[in-house]
Amino acid sequence: MTARRPANRRTTLGLALLAGLFLLAFLGPHLAPWHWDETDFTAFREPPSARHWLGTTQSGRDMFALTLRGLQKSLVIGLLVAVLSTALAAVVGMTAGFLGGWADRLLMWGVDLLLVLPSILIVAVLSPALRGHWLGIVLLLALFGWMITARMVRAMTLSLREREYVRAARFLGVGNVRVVLRHILPHLSSLLIADAAINVSVAIIAESGLAYLGFGVRPPDLSLGTLIADGWGSAHAYPWLFGSAAGALVLVVLAVNLLGDGLRDALDPELRGARP
Amino acid sequence: MGRYLLRRLATYAVLTVVAASLAYLVAAGSLRPRDAVRNHTGGTPAAVEAELARLNLHDDVPLPERYLTWASGVVRGDFGETVQGEPVTGELWRRLGVSLRLLSAGSVLGFAGGVALGVYAAARRGHTPDRVIGGGAFALLAVPVFVLAVFLQLGAARLNEMTGLQLVEWVGESSPGAADGTFGALGGFGDRIRHLLLPTLAVALAQLAVYCRYQRATMLDVLGADYVRTARAKGLRRRHALLRHGLRTAVVPLTTYFAYTAGLVLLTGMFVEKIFGWHGLGEWVVDSITRGDVNVVAAANCVAAVAVLLAGLFSDVLRAVLDPRVRVHPR
C-alpha cells in the first residue's frame, strides 16, 4: 500500500489544481472587474495593479480577463479532444485486436501511416480551410491524436481475447459486440481513463502551439497560444503579457499531467513507463 | 539480421511513399496559393492564371493530374518551384543544413542527458536525487518549447546585463562580419557557438525530460532482474553490474521510441527556428503554409516522412545490435 500513496497524492493534487483552474476559468470572469473584449482607454501596457490584476495589453485590454478567456478555450478544447481521440482509439484498437486477421493488419497499417505523417503539419495545412473555428480544430486534433493509444488498446485486447471467460462467452454463442462491451471494455477502462487524462495535456499543448504559429484559433477569438504569441516579442519589456498566459498554460498542463500520471500509477501499476 | 532489416526497410519505404503522397494531396487540396502568386507577379489576372498553371498549382487542373505531375518530378529529384518561381530543391537542401546545425547538438545532448539522469535517478530510487530529478523532469514536461525558449531568452538577457558583455546571442545563426574581426575565422566560429548556445539548450531540454522519465521506468524494471543479481553475486560492483548488464537491456525499449521522437524533433525545430530567428526548414514550412505554397509544404512533408523512416530504421538497427534475441528470432 505504501507504494500507492504517492500516486494517490499526485492524483488528488492534480484534481484539486484542475478543479481550481476550472472554477477560475468559468467563475472568474463574473468576479473580475473587466470583460475580456472591453478596452480601457486610460491604461495601455500598464503593469499589474489593483485596477487591472494582471496588467493591460498595448490596446488597453485587461490581461486577467483575457487569460481567463484563453484558459476556458484551452480547457474545453483539451477535454473534447481527449474524449474524442480516446474513444476513437478504443474503437479502432478493440476492433483490430478482437477481429484479428486482415482487419487487424489494415487498421494497424493505417495507424502506422498516420504516425509517419507529420500530424501537426497536416493539421496546420488543413487549418486555413477551417477559418479558425475552434470546433474544427478539435476534430482535427482528435483525428490525429489517437494512434499510440490505439496500439496499446490493441495489444491489451489481444491478450484479453484469449482469457478463459472471454472464450467461454464466445463458445456460448454471445455476439462479438456484446463480448467486447461486457468482457473486454471493462478491463481496458483504467488504461483508457489514464490515457485520456494524458491526451488532455497533449491536446492543450498542441492547440496552443498551433495557435502560437497562427494555425489555430484566430482573432477576434483567442486561446492561451495566441496570447503567448502576442506577448513573447515584448516579454523583456512587458513581462506580464507573456507571463500570465504562459503561466496559465504551464499550470493547466502540470495539473493534467499530475492527474494522468497519478491515475496511471494508481489504476495500473503494470503500465508504469509504458508511455513517457 | 540482414533479412529482418530488409523487410523492415521495405515496409517503411511503402509507408513513406504513401504518407508523402497523402501529404501532397492534403496540401494541394486545401492550400490557396493564388494570392501569393498575384502578389509576386503583380500582373494581369491572365498572367496570374498562367503562372499558376506553370507552377502546377492551378485549381482548374484536376487533383490527380497535379499529383502525377508533382510525383514524376519528385522521382527525378525535382520538387517544383516556390510561388516566387525559385526551385524548391536547392533551397530545401540549404534549409535542411541550417536545421541540422540547429537541432543535432541539442538532440544528442537531450538524449544523452536524459538517459544519464534517468539511470542515475533509478539507481537512487526514493532518495533525494531521484526526487529532485523526477520533480524537475515533471515540471519541464509541463513547459511547452515555445514557452521554454522565451524563458531562456529572458534568462540570457539578464545574464548579459549582469556581466555587461554580449555573452549569449539569441537572434539568427551568426552576426554579420564576425569572421572579419581580430580573431579571423576563429572569431567567426566562436560567434556561431555563441548563437547556438541558447537554441541548443532549448532543443535539449525539450527532449531531456521525456527520455529521463522513460529511461528511469525501464531501468527500474531491469534493476530487479535476475541477471543483474547474478552479476552482483559474481562479485561485480553495483555500478559495473548496473551499467554493463542493466543499462544495455534498459536502453532497448528506448530505441523503439526513437522513431516517434523524430517527429517531436521536427516540431521542436518549427518553434525554435521561429523564436530564435534561424532560417531553417521549420520556419520555411510555417511561412509557406501561410502563403499557400503547396510545393514547399509537400517537399517538407517528404523530408519529414523520410526523417521518420530513417529514425525507424536506425532504431531497428540499434535494437538488433543491442538485443541478440532480435537477430536470432526476427519478428
Side-chain angles (χ1 to χ4, degrees):
Chain A
M1 278 319 274
T2 42
R4 277 194 158 195
R5 207 173 292 144
N8 282 338
R9 209 168 50 206
R10 254 177 297 160
T11 315
T12 320
L13 188 65
L15 208 57
L17 198 55
L18 201 61
L21 286 167
F22 252 100
L23 281 179
L24 186 68
F26 288 94
L27 288 182
H30 299 290
L31 306 173
W34 296 89
H35 193 246
W36 66 276
D37 55 1
E38 254 178 307
T39 305
D40 183 357
F41 289 106
T42 61
F44 299 114
R45 282 185 175 150
E46 290 269 311
S49 63
R51 207 165 127 76
H52 294 284
W53 297 343
L54 289 177
T56 58
T57 68
Q58 56 176 342
S59 52
R61 288 165 81 180
D62 185 66
M63 202 56 211
F64 181 69
L66 286 175
T67 305
L68 291 190
R69 172 84 183 168
L71 196 58
Q72 280 181 10
K73 265 278 134 64
S74 291
L75 283 170
V76 171
I77 290 179
L79 280 180
L80 276 179
V81 171
V83 168
L84 284 177
S85 67
T86 309
L88 196 58
V91 171
V92 172
M94 285 195 303
T95 313
F98 193 75
L99 292 181
W102 64 266
D104 180 29
R105 267 194 303 254
L106 192 72
L107 286 172
M108 284 306 110
W109 195 79
V111 166
D112 282 342
L113 180 64
L114 284 178
L115 280 174
V116 172
L117 273 179
S119 53
I120 287 287
L121 264 185
I122 300 287
V123 176
V125 166
L126 287 171
S127 70
L130 305 170
R131 290 183 194 82
H133 199 283
W134 67 275
L135 269 178
I137 308 272
V138 166
L139 287 181
L140 276 184
L141 285 177
L143 211 58
F144 284 94
W146 53 273
M147 291 85 73
I148 296 180
T149 312
R151 274 196 163 281
M152 292 165 64
V153 170
R154 171 184 171 268
M156 279 191 77
T157 310
L158 276 179
S159 71
L160 286 171
R161 193 178 61 169
E162 302 304 323
R163 297 268 173 93
E164 287 84 357
Y165 56 86
V166 176
R167 293 186 146 195
R170 293 177 76 183
F171 293 150
L172 283 172
V174 180
N176 277 351
V177 177
R178 205 177 151 81
V179 169
V180 167
L181 289 182
R182 289 289 293 276
H183 299 289
I184 291 189
L185 189 60
H187 291 272
L188 290 172
S189 55
S190 58
L191 166 80
L192 290 175
I193 291 170
D195 243 56
I198 291 164
N199 283 340
V200 173
S201 77
V202 173
I204 288 177
I205 290 188
E207 187 276 326
S208 357
L210 281 172
Y212 179 86
L213 294 175
F215 301 130
V217 178
R218 285 191 208 172
D221 210 347
L222 56 89
S223 83
L224 289 178
T226 60
L227 289 176
I228 291 172
D230 291 342
W232 82 267
S234 54
H236 192 54
Y238 312 104
W240 60 89
L241 294 180
F242 175 76
S244 27
L249 181 63
V250 171
L251 268 184
V252 176
V253 176
L254 199 61
V256 177
N257 278 352
L258 275 172
L259 180 64
D261 218 54
L263 275 180
R264 188 175 54 187
D265 285 2
L267 293 173
D268 228 335
E270 289 293 305
L271 278 165
R272 182 173 42 80
R275 195 179 150 170
Chain B
M1 179 173 160
R3 253 180 68 191
Y4 158 73
L5 286 179
L6 218 61
R7 216 174 54 198
R8 298 294 288 180
L9 183 64
T11 320
Y12 283 135
V14 173
L15 268 179
T16 310
V17 171
V18 177
S21 305
L22 214 59
Y24 175 82
L25 292 173
V26 168
S30 73
L31 293 177
R32 299 278 168 265
R34 193 173 297 264
D35 288 339
V37 170
R38 186 178 299 125
N39 286 344
H40 178 65
T41 57
T44 56
V48 173
E49 301 299 307
E51 179 71 0
L52 276 172
R54 191 183 71 77
L55 294 172
N56 188 32
L57 295 173
H58 205 295
D59 38 15
D60 281 352
V61 182
L63 196 52
E65 205 179 314
R66 272 184 280 161
Y67 167 70
L68 285 181
T69 313
W70 175 79
S72 62
V74 171
V75 172
R76 283 180 279 115
D78 174 18
F79 284 99
E81 293 180 10
T82 66
V83 285
Q84 282 97 355
E86 281 155 25
V88 170
T89 314
E91 182 75 357
L92 186 70
W93 286 113
R94 200 186 67 72
R95 297 252 182 184
L96 192 61
V98 174
S99 291
L100 284 179
R101 282 204 291 282
L102 178 74
L103 293 170
S104 43
S107 301
V108 172
L109 264 178
F111 178 74
V115 168
L117 283 176
V119 169
Y120 184 64
R124 295 272 179 283
R125 180 182 196 180
H127 295 278
T128 316
D130 182 26
R131 297 225 174 122
V132 172
I133 292 172
F138 205 81
L140 204 55
L141 218 54
V143 185
V145 66
F146 50 91
V147 174
L148 183 71
V150 180
F151 278 143
L152 286 176
Q153 287 183 342
L154 289 177
R158 181 66 58 83
L159 182 76
N160 282 348
E161 269 168 27
M162 267 166 33
T163 54
L165 296 165
Q166 201 64 19
L167 282 177
V168 189
E169 291 275 357
W170 55 85
V171 180
E173 198 174 349
S174 58
S175 310
D180 314 324
T182 33
F183 300 107
L186 200 63
F189 183 69
D191 180 63
R192 278 178 177 267
I193 296 290
R194 203 164 58 143
H195 280 85
L196 200 54
L197 219 55
L198 227 43
T200 298
L201 204 57
V203 173
L205 286 177
Q207 296 172 56
L208 186 110
V210 179
Y211 283 122
C212 172
R213 281 171 59 82
Y214 202 90
Q215 180 66 48
R216 177 180 176 275
T218 58
M219 195 70 192
L220 281 181
D221 291 340
V222 166
L223 279 181
D226 293 341
Y227 53 87
V228 173
R229 201 177 46 201
T230 311
R232 289 275 283 145
K234 273 195 322 193
L236 285 180
R237 275 194 218 95
R238 179 158 189 263
R239 181 190 170 82
H240 202 82
L242 283 186
L243 293 185
R244 290 292 290 274
H245 294 258
L247 182 59
R248 179 169 168 165
T249 328
V251 171
V252 172
L254 211 64
T255 57
T256 321
Y257 190 66
F258 243 54
Y260 297 129
T261 49
L264 182 79
V265 172
L266 291 171
L267 199 63
T268 311
M270 271 165 78
F271 290 108
V272 172
E273 281 169 21
K274 204 80 184 139
I275 292 172
F276 289 99
W278 283 54
H279 305 302
L281 205 56
E283 186 213 45
W284 202 31
V285 174
V286 173
D287 294 344
S288 297
I289 294 176
T290 317
R291 271 199 299 266
D293 203 333
V294 176
N295 288 337
V296 174
V297 175
N301 272 323
C302 285
V303 170
V306 170
V308 174
L309 168 124
L310 287 180
L313 209 59
F314 179 64
S315 81
D316 283 343
V317 173
L318 213 59
R319 235 162 89 107
V321 169
L322 287 171
D323 190 348
R325 285 170 304 181
V326 178
R327 272 170 282 167
V328 183
H329 309 288
R331 277 195 296 157

